[in-house]
Amino acid sequence: MELIRAERIGKTFDVSPPWLTRALAREPRLLLRAVDDVSFGIRRGETLGLVGESGCGKSTVARLVVGLYRLTTGTITYGGASIDALAAGRAGRALRRRLQMIFQDPYASLNPRWRVADIVAEPIRAHRLLRGRRAVQARVDELLVQVGLAAADGARYPHQFSGGQRQRISIARALASEPEFLVCDEPTSALDVSVQAQVLNLMRDLQRELGLTYLFISHNLAVVHHVADRVGVMYLGRIVEIADKRRLFATPRHPYTRMLLDAIPDLGLTGKARTPVAGEVPSPLDPPTGCTFHPRCPLAGDRCRREVPLLKRVAGVPDGAEGGEAACHAVEEGRDGASGRGV
Amino acid sequence: MSGASLLDVRSLRIEFPTRRGTLVAIDDISFSIAPGEVLGVVGESGAGKSLTGAAIIGLLEPPGRIAAGEISLHGRRIDDLPYDAMRKIRGRRIGAIFQDPLTSLNPLYSIGRQLIETIRTHLDLGESAARTRAIDLLREVGIPSPERRIDHFPHQFSGGMRQRVVIALAICANPQLIIADEPTTALDVSIQAQIISLLKRLCSDHGTAVMLVTHDMGVIAETADRVAVMYAGRIAEIGPVAEVIHAPKHPYTVGLMGSIPSIVDDRERLVQIDGAMPRLNAIPPGCAFNPRCPRAFDRCRIERPELIAVGVSRAACWLYPGAGADAGAQARAGAVR
């Protein structure tokens, strides 16, 4: 049963110069399509990871899902109801309580002038979940302990905590409204590895305990491999491949996914030959025609330069993981020569 | 291999005097780098890895100062040189690459002008010869159509291309040593892979030694010959890269390696080192890692361990008998490979 469904969502930003400048220079409007025709579903209790390089639109997707940005096209339904309701009225308030977000930078996402207890209590007060100071206080203490802090930490200010502890505070705040669904936008990329391990373990424990559903955004493939059940790979505003984690990492099909996996520094010291990665991500203001990956793709053909590939089902792997989908003409036509490619 | 080393750091101590007392950021570390060798320096934020690099190139920001120890290049001390003499070494014999390529370049000058200025400062070349060399350098670091790109400004380059320009600047006088401080941290994975292979190629072509400072163990695994793991201003472990990754000796290194998620394993949980690195004003007595160490015993809380040979690595840990005593002398005798 899908808890959340995004159907062909898109977000366009107007990045034009001011009206007068534009009129004087006779320039057209400049539109940036940050997210283009993206569809995915997340089942209850599942973690969907979204990976991609800077500027691929993954954070925009996160913000669209929690309603921080308005959709330009497409729909997102949450438990069957459209999230357009997020913006309005009582239904919006009820919906907002059920989904929360954890941000990347634990230094910027906590108000430095508030005590931790007030930060964590804010969602409880905003949604009027509990009445009375004492009840709120008890709940805040419970939340702080749940994320591995001490109840007494509530009296302190954010600057008195390390990065990892601050991210725990963010998590406690997100949990305060008893949500079912958490959108995590690079929650550990500002943290050192040993602290990252603490936070990832905590998030996994909380998922078990509370039955949470996660949308987990990261540029780090190893982190996504660790937390996600299914993984979507984004490139220039589109999902180019989405599949069960085991299938995606064992037999990546889209050439971009393969390139990303090959680019991960190899801790195993196996000395495996790397496919040299050519080129850089093109500007999203002026994306290439057809498949946006074609200028960097070793398999690109004429059709790739003309026609935008759509997500199509691909074969699964023997151990039972479903195949998922890839948006690639070469894969569709069997030109990738790797239907059984192992790593 | 003492005597043959290119860079020797001995008993280096860096202090920050503050109103509330002196903070010791680097406490008695010693290591050496052989010509053409890549030494990786890893550790978490605040371990002192960047500070060590800054001290070597003489760019320690006041009030930080070298309180004790020596840094020598080819057997000649460089830590006590006057400012002008150090300027001649920096760039000419030791190059530097920093994390953020945008702040390493002057936004007001074309990259050509910056390259030519650097080349002419260090090498005896005329304007047009320097320009030719600048174009060659840009070609060598993989910038397409360098004849045209040389007149462009830093903002006209992408992050990966800017880092290539910074590398060209660092190698323009053929230094024997490059201090690379988190050279790939600001870059995306695919670009990161390009920059790592570029650095590796340049170093083997020119026989340049590199001190690669990073928090990313993956980058070290791909690039370094040896690794030094730093914790709270000290070296916890130093050894050949394969040994440190596959058979870590110090409990901190063991935890650090286990805490890195990987795409090839299916562990339910990552190894977790509880707590955080101590602040400089609250470094615990004995081994600085003891409050977080799963194997700490009484001695760890009282006596500070020195680096001693453990197999082919060296670790500063009381789990290995014989630590202490003459370990400091051994550490100064040079690196064990």
Side-chain angles (χ1 to χ4, degrees):
Chain A
M1 188 7 218
E2 276 179 357
L3 179 66
I4 187 155
R5 177 84 216 161
E7 200 58 53
R8 310 200 62 172
I9 60 171
K11 175 69 188 173
T12 307
F13 292 103
D14 188 342
V15 291
S16 318
W19 171 82
L20 189 60
T21 322
R22 220 168 55 229
L24 291 174
R26 293 172 201 279
E27 282 174 359
R29 274 187 177 281
L30 203 53
L31 297 176
L32 185 147
R33 190 162 290 176
V35 174
D36 190 11
D37 201 12
V38 165
S39 302
F40 59 85
I42 310 175
R43 289 186 280 266
R44 194 176 284 275
E46 179 186 60
T47 301
L48 174 68
L50 272 187
V51 278
E53 299 178 271
S54 320
C56 72
K58 51 192 193 306
S59 291
T60 309
V61 168
R63 289 170 166 261
L64 287 170
V65 168
V66 292
L68 284 173
Y69 288 149
R70 286 287 188 91
L71 288 166
T72 310
T73 55
T75 53
I76 297 176
T77 48
Y78 185 84
S82 165
I83 63 149
D84 289 341
L86 277 178
R90 187 173 297 171
R93 181 182 291 269
L95 199 50
R96 278 201 300 273
R97 188 189 66 74
R98 294 163 62 194
L99 56 159
Q100 289 289 324
M101 183 155 175
I102 300 168
F103 296 90
Q104 171 171 358
D105 185 353
Y107 293 82
S109 56
L110 300 174
N111 188 333
R113 304 179 64 153
W114 283 24
R115 286 180 198 274
V116 167
D118 295 321
I119 292 172
V120 176
E122 193 184 15
I124 303 174
R125 298 205 171 98
H127 292 289
R128 301 196 188 90
L129 296 178
L130 291 169
R131 286 185 187 285
R133 269 176 93 112
R134 197 156 299 157
V136 173
Q137 186 60 46
R139 173 75 180 133
V140 168
D141 291 352
E142 185 192 344
L143 284 163
L144 289 175
V145 172
Q146 196 167 25
V147 297
L149 297 169
D153 287 331
R156 297 160 74 191
Y157 288 92
H159 76 262
Q160 294 171 288
F161 294 87
S162 67
Q165 290 172 316
R166 282 183 222 204
Q167 207 56 301
R168 288 173 192 267
I169 299 169
S170 300
I171 293 171
R173 175 179 60 185
L175 294 176
S177 68
E178 295 162 42
E180 315 155 296
F181 178 54
L182 283 185
V183 175
C184 317
D185 187 4
E186 304 257 16
T188 61
S189 35
L191 307 176
D192 277 315
V193 275
S194 76
V195 181
Q196 166 173 287
Q198 294 171 7
V199 172
L200 292 179
N201 284 341
L202 170 69
M203 290 182 63
R204 172 161 292 217
D205 296 344
L206 290 170
Q207 182 167 36
R208 291 276 149 77
E209 247 168 73
L210 306 170
L212 297 170
T213 306
Y214 290 140
L215 172 61
F216 192 98
I217 314 268
S218 179
H219 68 280
N220 186 329
L221 283 147
V223 169
V224 167
H225 177 266
H226 182 73
V227 300
D229 300 306
R230 281 193 309 132
V231 177
V233 179
M234 290 192 70
Y235 187 74
L236 274 183
R238 288 172 160 268
I239 289 184
V240 294
E241 182 162 8
I242 182 164
D244 180 276
K245 166 179 80 178
R246 279 175 299 160
R247 203 287 280 152
L248 191 104
F249 283 90
T251 54
R253 298 301 300 273
H254 196 284
Y256 179 63
T257 314
R258 290 191 210 166
M259 194 199 86
L260 274 184
L261 288 181
D262 278 341
I264 303 179
D266 183 10
L267 254 182
L269 292 167
T270 52
K272 68 169 176 171
R274 277 199 187 188
T275 324
V277 181
E280 299 186 355
V281 183
S283 161
L285 280 173
D286 183 21
T289 54
C291 171
T292 48
F293 187 59
H294 83 252
R296 302 173 76 187
C297 182
L299 303 172
D302 278 346
R303 189 178 169 204
C304 305
R305 286 182 262 279
R306 284 193 322 266
E307 197 183 318
V308 178
L310 299 176
L311 279 172
K312 297 258 168 64
R313 294 227 142 263
V314 297
V317 283
D319 74 343
E322 56 179 283
E325 296 168 293
C328 177
H329 295 312
V331 170
E332 190 192 338
E333 295 161 10
R335 281 195 285 120
D336 60 335
S339 35
R341 179 185 190 267
V343 171
Chain B
M1 61 143 277
S2 58
S5 58
L6 171 67
L7 179 84
D8 258 306
V9 174
R10 291 189 186 188
S11 313
L12 180 69
R13 180 183 171 96
I14 298 175
E15 294 180 348
F16 284 82
T18 68
R19 270 183 302 168
R20 283 185 228 151
T22 302
L23 298 178
V24 182
I26 298 290
D27 195 358
D28 192 15
I29 65 169
S30 302
F31 61 90
S32 59
I33 301 178
E37 182 186 48
V38 180
L39 175 73
V41 179
V42 278
E44 300 179 84
S45 317
K49 30 186 215 309
S50 296
L51 215 51
T52 308
I56 292 169
I57 43 177
L59 288 179
L60 212 53
E61 298 251 353
R65 62 184 188 90
I66 297 177
E70 297 181 5
I71 300 169
S72 30
L73 189 69
H74 273 311
R76 259 188 58 211
R77 268 188 82 167
I78 56 168
D79 57 293
D80 55 356
L81 289 179
Y83 184 77
D84 280 338
M86 192 60 210
R87 271 190 74 172
K88 292 208 176 84
I89 288 179
R90 198 189 303 135
R92 178 74 186 87
R93 302 180 61 193
I94 307 179
I97 301 168
F98 297 106
Q99 174 170 349
D100 183 357
L102 196 54
T103 50
S104 314
L105 296 169
N106 189 329
L108 297 177
Y109 294 138
S110 71
I111 59 154
R113 188 162 163 194
Q114 298 182 52
L115 275 165
I116 291 165
E117 182 191 332
T118 314
I119 291 167
R120 296 197 64 190
T121 307
H122 296 297
L123 304 178
D124 187 22
L125 286 179
E127 179 75 22
S128 67
R131 189 178 167 90
T132 313
R133 179 162 170 80
I135 292 171
D136 289 344
L137 280 166
L138 290 177
R139 188 174 296 117
E140 193 175 358
V141 297
I143 291 191
S145 45
E147 301 82 4
R148 197 168 50 81
R149 293 294 260 168
I150 189 168
D151 294 316
H152 286 185
F153 288 81
H155 74 268
Q156 292 166 295
F157 290 81
S158 67
M161 285 296 158
R162 264 182 224 137
Q163 197 60 295
R164 288 171 192 267
V165 174
V166 172
I167 292 173
L169 272 169
I171 63 166
C172 72
N174 262 325
Q176 295 136 316
L177 174 68
I178 291 178
I179 310 283
D181 189 356
E182 305 268 8
T184 59
T185 306
L187 308 172
D188 277 317
V189 270
S190 68
I191 308 299
Q192 179 178 318
Q194 295 172 4
I195 297 293
I196 291 172
S197 60
L198 171 69
L199 264 178
K200 271 163 81 174
R201 178 170 59 79
L202 290 174
C203 293
S204 58
D205 287 359
H206 297 259
T208 317
V210 181
M211 175 173 149
L212 178 67
V213 174
T214 176
H215 67 275
D216 189 337
M217 210 61 204
V219 172
I220 296 274
E222 291 251 316
T223 331
D225 302 312
R226 283 191 305 137
V227 195
V229 180
M230 291 192 68
Y231 186 81
R234 302 201 21 103
I235 293 177
E237 178 166 355
I238 181 166
V241 65
E243 189 72 10
V244 173
I245 289 177
H246 292 307
K249 302 293 184 296
H250 197 286
Y252 175 64
T253 322
V254 174
L256 193 65
M257 295 308 304
S259 68
I260 303 172
S262 150
I263 61 162
V264 289
D265 66 24
D266 270 314
R267 288 174 298 170
E268 268 293 283
R269 292 174 66 82
L270 299 165
V271 176
Q272 187 166 326
I273 313 174
D274 287 318
M277 187 144 52
R279 293 182 183 211
L280 290 180
N281 58 10
I283 292 183
C287 171
F289 186 59
N290 84 67
R292 301 174 72 190
C293 182
R295 304 179 66 184
F297 52 99
D298 287 346
R299 190 174 188 185
C300 306
R301 295 177 194 104
I302 303 157
E303 234 180 307
R304 195 172 76 177
E306 300 292 336
L307 280 173
I308 60 144
V310 184
V312 289
S313 299
R314 302 165 65 76
C317 180
W318 291 124
L319 288 172
Y320 302 97
D326 63 340
Q330 280 182 33
R332 280 186 283 279
V336 172
R337 334 215 82 219

